[in-house]
Amino acid sequence: MAGALGYHSTEPDRGARPCFRLKPGSYDTAALIEVLEQMKVFYRGERVVLVWDGLSAHWSRAMRAWAAEQDWLTLERLPACAPELNLVELLWSSLKKRELANLAGDHLAGVADATEQGIHRIHTNPRLPWSFLAHTGLTIHPPHPPNLRKDQ
């Protein structure tokens, strides 16, 4: 499962937008590039800053080369061993505690259905994705650049 939480920095009242993709097997660089291509469509060409952990497929040469050609995408790397800063970890945690708790499905379709229900629950509660952001201590944009005094 690959997921993302999108926040509008210029229009926070638009709400957060969770998106995810589920596929059999694991994700490699090529599969993640496909996800990012779908993300580009999902966000309708808006500029996106993607904050990623250190998974090797996130930072492979092929991924960095592909990302360098994308004018809509900026990649930022989370510090090593910092899952508490990863918003998607909080999204997965919410799903695991509700929709996926004690789920022992025989088929991937059951997991996909439960996951879609959870994503819908999170999406329809406008405060929940913002609580994930607040929990990390991260902000969308600082009140002023860190290298400037407030009066500059």
Side-chain angles (χ1 to χ4, degrees):
M1 201 175 316
L5 278 170
Y7 298 88
H8 293 77
S9 64
T10 58
E11 299 177 56
D13 292 338
R14 287 177 60 187
R17 295 182 66 196
C19 65
F20 79 103
R21 182 172 179 209
L22 183 66
K23 75 172 206 69
S26 60
Y27 282 92
D28 59 8
T29 299
L32 287 172
I33 289 173
E34 288 178 25
V35 170
L36 293 174
E37 290 285 358
Q38 290 179 344
M39 186 182 287
K40 181 179 181 178
V41 173
F42 182 78
Y43 288 112
R44 295 183 186 105
E46 293 180 70
R47 294 205 39 83
V48 172
V49 176
L50 183 60
V51 180
W52 257 353
D53 61 20
L55 182 71
S56 60
H58 291 168
W59 300 103
S60 68
R61 274 187 224 151
M63 177 62 75
R64 286 181 285 151
W66 178 86
E69 297 174 1
Q70 308 304 309
D71 62 351
W72 63 277
L73 182 65
T74 301
L75 298 177
E76 295 290 341
R77 188 175 187 151
L78 285 169
C81 300
E84 69 278 2
L85 296 178
N86 190 336
L87 296 163
V88 175
E89 291 296 336
L90 297 167
L91 172 73
W92 297 148
S93 178
S94 181
L95 292 174
K96 289 174 186 177
K97 290 177 182 170
R98 299 272 304 264
E99 289 78 12
L100 300 178
N102 300 316
L103 179 66
D106 292 330
H107 302 285
L108 190 57
V111 175
D113 290 344
T115 301
E116 285 179 18
Q117 290 171 7
I119 295 290
H120 179 73
R121 172 182 58 83
I122 291 165
H123 181 68
T124 57
N125 179 345
R127 289 183 295 199
L128 193 53
W130 288 101
S131 74
F132 298 158
L133 183 63
H135 183 77
T136 66
L138 300 172
T139 60
I140 296 295
H141 48 78
H144 57 280
N147 60 341
L148 296 177
R149 294 189 325 257
K150 290 180 186 179
D151 60 342
Q152 287 183 313

